[in-house]
């Protein structure tokens, strides 16, 4: 296999994972530049996730029919065009359209990167490589808001999108020139062969629950990250540097727990890990709600609450996500595509919801996160026995 294979996979997944965190620090400046509302600016993230949701269902099957390489080059090309559109956007409507195009392309790497690792490597080597990639991603994600704030302060909000455009171009041209094909056998999947597995997954209450729970965790987290620039810089009156430090602590807590998730899982076992993570998320969601309800919310209280929420989310996410693939082990590829699509749709919905009801306080995001965590608690209750079985395996 080409020596460029793994570095190119890492570069492509980094681009699609940090675009929100890098661009978020500039949201208040974008609103002022286009003389528009906070909800419309937050919709730039919502539409990005909607594009991700719609396209994620197709890239897996298309890669079976046409190969991994052509689909990776095509999808990352769309991501590049969207990034350039964001950088040059003359109006808010143009920016919204460009963000949607970005989402259509961003799901390519999210869906196919780990599939391609499975094409080339098996067993413990594949697991080790995926773990190494996740470790790199957590570090990059922790640095993303710092990078975005630095660029925004130095150049302005267009600089954030320009940075993503440069990364996207580097990824796309490298994929085009050096990326190898990893699919060993040619295959063709008919439309009915695509719809049947998705129908089977959607009709399974167990799969839907185990797929929705991590998706609600992630969507709640993204709803907060998207609204936080307005909340911290305008409602709380913090400077860009202060906002960056608060965001760095929140994302850093997520990254730190993700980095040590294997050791945490080994020490606590799956059931206790999920129980502890869920407890942290639910408890901090209630705390944020009551702090907001009684006008006690502050930057420090919000940051500490979200840091504990992020730690709980990071602890139990990989356990539940992995368990969802055991429901129909023969449909792992379709399960991955459907889960990514559902996750993106929930991100679109929760981000749009918090943006629509935002009135200069943390109430909207607090009630949305609390509602999602209460729903997650009910969805998880029937499955703690499944985690006991997972632990034995």
């Amino acid at each position: 296999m080409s020596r460029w294979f793994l570095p190119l996979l890492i570069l492509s997944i980094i681009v699609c994972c940090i675009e929100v965190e890098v661009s978020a620090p500039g949201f208040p400046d974008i609103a002022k530049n286009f003389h528009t509302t906070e909800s419309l600016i937050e919709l730039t993230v919502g539409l990005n996730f909607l594009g991700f949701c719609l396209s994620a269902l197709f890239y897996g099957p298309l890669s079976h029919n046409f190969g991994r390489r052509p689909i990776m080059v095509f999808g990352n090309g769309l991501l590049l065009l969207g990034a350039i559109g964001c950088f040059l956007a003359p109006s808010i409507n143009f920016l919204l359209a460009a963000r949607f195009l970005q989402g259509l392309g961003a799901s390519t790497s999210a869906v196919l990167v780990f599939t391609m690792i499975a094409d080339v490597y098996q067993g413990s080597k594949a697991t080790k490589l995926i773990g190494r990639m996740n470790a790199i991603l957590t570090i990059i994600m922790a640095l993303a808001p710092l990078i975005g704030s630095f660029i925004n302060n130095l150049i302005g909000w267009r600089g954030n999108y320009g940075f993503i455009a440069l990364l996207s171009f580097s990824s796309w041209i490298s994929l085009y020139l050096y990326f190898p094909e990893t699919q060993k056998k040619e295959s063709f999947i008919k439309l009915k062969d695509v719809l049947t597995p998705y129908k089977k997954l959607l009709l399974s209450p167990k799969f839907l629950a185990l797929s929705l729970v991590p998706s609600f965790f992630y969507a709640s987290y993204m709803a907060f990250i998207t609204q936080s620039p307005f909340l911290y810089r305008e409602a709380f009156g913090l400077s860009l540097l202060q906002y960056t430090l608060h965001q760095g602590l929140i994302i850093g807590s997520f990254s730190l727990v993700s980095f040590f998730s294997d050791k945490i899982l080994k020490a606590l076992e799956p059931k206790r890990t999920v129980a502890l993570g869920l407890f942290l998320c639910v408890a901090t969601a209630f705390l944020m709600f009551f702090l907001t309800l009684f006008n006690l919310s502050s930057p420090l209280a919000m940051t500490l609450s979200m840091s504990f929420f992020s730690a709980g989310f990071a602890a139990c996410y990989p356990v539940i996500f992995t368990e969802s693939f055991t429901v129909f082990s023969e449909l792992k590829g379709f399960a991955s595509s459907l889960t990514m699509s559902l996750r993106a749709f929930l991100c679109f919905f929760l981000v749009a919801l918090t943006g629509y009801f935002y009135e200069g306080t943390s109430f909207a995001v607090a009630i949305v996160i609390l509602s999602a965590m209460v729903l997650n608690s009910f969805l998880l209750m029937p499955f703690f026995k499944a985690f006991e079985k997972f632990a034995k395996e």
Side-chain angles (χ1 to χ4, degrees):
M1 182 51 61
S2 169
R3 62 176 179 172
W4 297 102
F5 177 61
L6 289 175
L8 289 178
L9 287 186
I10 292 171
L11 178 59
S12 67
I13 198 73
I14 283 174
V15 176
C16 77
C17 285
I18 68 168
E19 54 170 333
V20 174
E21 285 85 353
V22 169
S23 61
F27 284 178
D29 297 327
I30 300 174
K32 292 176 184 176
N33 183 80
F34 290 130
H35 306 288
T36 189
T37 63
E38 293 89 349
S39 59
L40 262 183
I41 299 303
E42 291 181 40
L43 192 58
T44 62
V45 177
L47 287 176
N48 180 267
F49 280 118
L50 181 61
F52 192 110
C53 166
L54 295 175
S55 59
L57 294 171
F58 298 98
Y59 285 133
L62 286 173
S63 73
H64 281 285
N65 289 0
F66 302 104
R68 317 290 195 211
R69 173 187 154 81
I71 301 304
M72 281 289 285
V73 171
F74 172 77
N76 280 273
L78 289 182
L79 177 61
L80 172 59
L81 289 175
I84 294 173
C86 291
F87 175 68
L88 299 174
S91 67
I92 183 61
N93 290 330
F94 193 98
L95 181 62
L96 290 169
R99 289 292 286 156
F100 178 74
L101 182 62
Q102 265 190 304
L104 290 175
S107 65
T108 317
S109 296
V111 171
L112 293 183
V113 160
F114 298 106
T115 302
M116 289 183 289
I117 289 178
D119 287 341
V120 179
Y121 304 100
Q122 288 78 41
S124 60
K125 190 166 186 179
T127 303
K128 184 178 180 180
L129 286 172
I130 291 173
R132 189 179 301 170
M133 289 183 67
N134 284 333
I136 293 172
L137 283 175
T138 58
I139 296 171
I140 297 297
M141 286 179 66
L143 294 175
L146 300 175
I147 295 171
S149 296
F150 175 78
I151 295 173
N152 189 76
N153 192 48
L154 187 66
I155 304 175
W157 66 268
R158 290 188 189 274
N160 293 337
Y161 288 122
F163 175 72
I164 295 298
L166 287 175
L167 279 182
S168 300
F169 177 75
S170 299
S171 176
W172 179 80
I173 195 68
S174 300
L175 289 170
Y176 180 79
L177 294 175
Y178 303 112
F179 197 67
E181 178 58 65
T182 63
Q183 187 172 233
K184 297 177 181 178
K185 294 181 180 179
E186 293 185 0
S187 59
F188 189 83
I189 299 178
K190 298 179 181 178
L191 179 61
K192 66 177 182 178
D193 296 328
V194 174
L195 296 178
T196 301
Y198 282 141
K199 181 179 179 181
K200 186 176 182 179
L201 292 168
L202 288 169
L203 292 177
S204 168
K206 183 176 181 180
F207 170 80
L208 278 179
L210 292 173
S211 179
L212 285 172
V213 167
S215 298
F216 271 119
F217 278 129
Y218 186 81
S220 299
Y221 175 77
M222 290 309 303
F224 174 81
I225 292 296
T226 303
Q227 193 161 98
S228 62
F230 300 106
L231 189 61
Y232 281 81
R233 294 184 61 191
E234 295 184 352
F236 292 147
L238 299 188
S239 67
L240 181 60
L241 176 60
Q242 290 172 321
Y243 156 76
T244 302
L245 294 175
H246 280 270
Q247 294 307 293
L249 181 59
I250 294 169
I251 298 175
S253 65
F254 173 84
S255 301
L256 184 65
V257 175
S258 295
F259 196 84
F260 293 104
S261 60
D262 287 345
K263 293 183 178 180
I264 295 172
L265 184 60
K266 189 175 181 179
L268 297 179
E269 298 185 345
K271 182 179 178 180
R272 291 177 182 174
T273 301
V274 172
L276 177 61
L278 182 63
F279 172 78
L280 281 175
C281 291
V282 173
T284 52
F286 272 106
L287 177 61
M288 282 191 292
F289 174 73
F290 284 114
L291 287 174
T292 303
L293 189 64
F294 294 106
N295 295 317
L296 298 173
S297 184
S298 68
L300 181 60
M302 182 62 65
T303 297
L304 290 176
S305 297
M306 279 306 300
S307 294
F308 281 109
F309 176 90
S310 300
F313 158 40
C316 59
Y317 180 91
V319 183
I320 305 168
F321 187 70
T322 302
E323 180 66 20
S324 69
F325 289 107
T326 66
V327 181
F328 298 104
S329 58
E330 74 280 7
L331 299 177
K332 288 180 180 178
F334 288 95
S336 177
S337 289
L338 184 57
T339 297
M340 290 294 181
S341 183
L342 287 172
R343 187 181 76 173
F345 176 77
L346 287 176
C347 286
F348 160 71
F349 181 71
L350 295 192
V351 166
L353 199 62
T354 54
Y356 181 79
F357 288 105
Y358 178 68
E359 295 181 347
T361 71
S362 57
F363 183 78
V365 71
I367 194 67
V368 164
I369 292 176
L370 177 60
S371 301
M373 292 307 100
V374 170
L375 183 57
N376 265 2
S377 300
F378 283 107
L379 288 172
L380 273 177
M381 281 181 182
F383 298 107
F384 276 101
K385 288 184 179 180
F387 296 126
E388 291 178 353
K389 180 181 177 183
F390 178 80
K392 294 177 182 178
E393 295 175 352

Short mmCIF file of all heavy atoms in Angstrom, two decimals, residues 24 65 78 176 191 199 287 322 339 380 382:
data_model
loop_
_atom_site.label_atom_id
_atom_site.label_comp_id
_atom_site.label_asym_id
_atom_site.label_seq_id
_atom_site.Cartn_x
_atom_site.Cartn_y
_atom_site.Cartn_z
N ALA A 24 -16.53 28.85 13.99
CA ALA A 24 -17.44 29.37 15.02
C ALA A 24 -16.98 30.68 15.67
O ALA A 24 -17.83 31.56 15.92
CB ALA A 24 -17.67 28.31 16.09
N ASN A 65 -19.88 0.57 -6.03
CA ASN A 65 -20.10 0.51 -7.47
C ASN A 65 -18.95 1.10 -8.29
O ASN A 65 -18.59 0.59 -9.35
CB ASN A 65 -21.40 1.24 -7.84
CG ASN A 65 -22.63 0.49 -7.38
OD1 ASN A 65 -22.53 -0.58 -6.78
ND2 ASN A 65 -23.81 1.05 -7.62
N LEU A 78 -16.31 18.55 -3.81
CA LEU A 78 -17.48 19.33 -3.38
C LEU A 78 -17.16 20.13 -2.12
O LEU A 78 -17.55 21.30 -1.99
CB LEU A 78 -18.67 18.40 -3.11
CG LEU A 78 -19.34 17.73 -4.30
CD1 LEU A 78 -20.52 16.88 -3.81
CD2 LEU A 78 -19.84 18.76 -5.29
N TYR A 176 -6.22 13.35 -5.33
CA TYR A 176 -6.25 13.18 -6.79
C TYR A 176 -4.93 12.63 -7.33
O TYR A 176 -4.91 11.78 -8.23
CB TYR A 176 -6.56 14.53 -7.45
CG TYR A 176 -6.62 14.46 -8.95
CD1 TYR A 176 -7.75 13.97 -9.60
CD2 TYR A 176 -5.55 14.91 -9.73
CE1 TYR A 176 -7.81 13.90 -10.99
CE2 TYR A 176 -5.59 14.85 -11.11
CZ TYR A 176 -6.72 14.34 -11.74
OH TYR A 176 -6.77 14.27 -13.11
N LEU A 191 -30.33 -0.51 -6.66
CA LEU A 191 -31.07 0.37 -5.77
C LEU A 191 -31.84 -0.42 -4.72
O LEU A 191 -31.82 -0.07 -3.53
CB LEU A 191 -32.04 1.25 -6.59
CG LEU A 191 -32.91 2.22 -5.77
CD1 LEU A 191 -32.02 3.20 -5.00
CD2 LEU A 191 -33.87 2.97 -6.67
N LYS A 199 -33.97 -0.38 5.25
CA LYS A 199 -35.31 -0.67 5.78
C LYS A 199 -35.21 -1.57 7.00
O LYS A 199 -35.90 -1.36 8.01
CB LYS A 199 -36.17 -1.31 4.69
CG LYS A 199 -37.58 -1.63 5.14
CD LYS A 199 -38.39 -2.26 4.01
CE LYS A 199 -39.80 -2.61 4.48
NZ LYS A 199 -40.59 -3.26 3.40
N LEU A 287 -28.34 20.96 35.74
CA LEU A 287 -27.66 22.09 36.37
C LEU A 287 -27.72 23.33 35.48
O LEU A 287 -28.04 24.44 35.95
CB LEU A 287 -26.21 21.73 36.67
CG LEU A 287 -25.34 22.83 37.28
CD1 LEU A 287 -25.90 23.28 38.63
CD2 LEU A 287 -23.89 22.37 37.43
N THR A 322 -20.21 1.39 19.36
CA THR A 322 -19.74 0.05 19.01
C THR A 322 -20.86 -0.98 19.17
O THR A 322 -21.02 -1.88 18.33
CB THR A 322 -18.54 -0.35 19.89
OG1 THR A 322 -17.50 0.61 19.71
CG2 THR A 322 -18.03 -1.73 19.51
N THR A 339 -26.14 5.70 10.62
CA THR A 339 -25.87 6.38 11.89
C THR A 339 -25.32 7.78 11.65
O THR A 339 -25.72 8.75 12.30
CB THR A 339 -24.88 5.56 12.74
OG1 THR A 339 -25.48 4.30 13.07
CG2 THR A 339 -24.54 6.30 14.03
N LEU A 380 -31.85 4.37 26.70
CA LEU A 380 -30.79 3.46 27.17
C LEU A 380 -31.25 2.44 28.21
O LEU A 380 -30.60 1.41 28.38
CB LEU A 380 -29.63 4.27 27.75
CG LEU A 380 -28.57 4.75 26.77
CD1 LEU A 380 -27.53 5.61 27.49
CD2 LEU A 380 -27.89 3.59 26.06
N PRO A 382 -33.45 0.01 28.46
CA PRO A 382 -33.58 -1.42 28.14
C PRO A 382 -32.27 -2.11 27.75
O PRO A 382 -32.25 -3.33 27.59
CB PRO A 382 -34.55 -1.42 26.93
CG PRO A 382 -35.15 -0.07 26.89
CD PRO A 382 -34.11 0.84 27.45
#
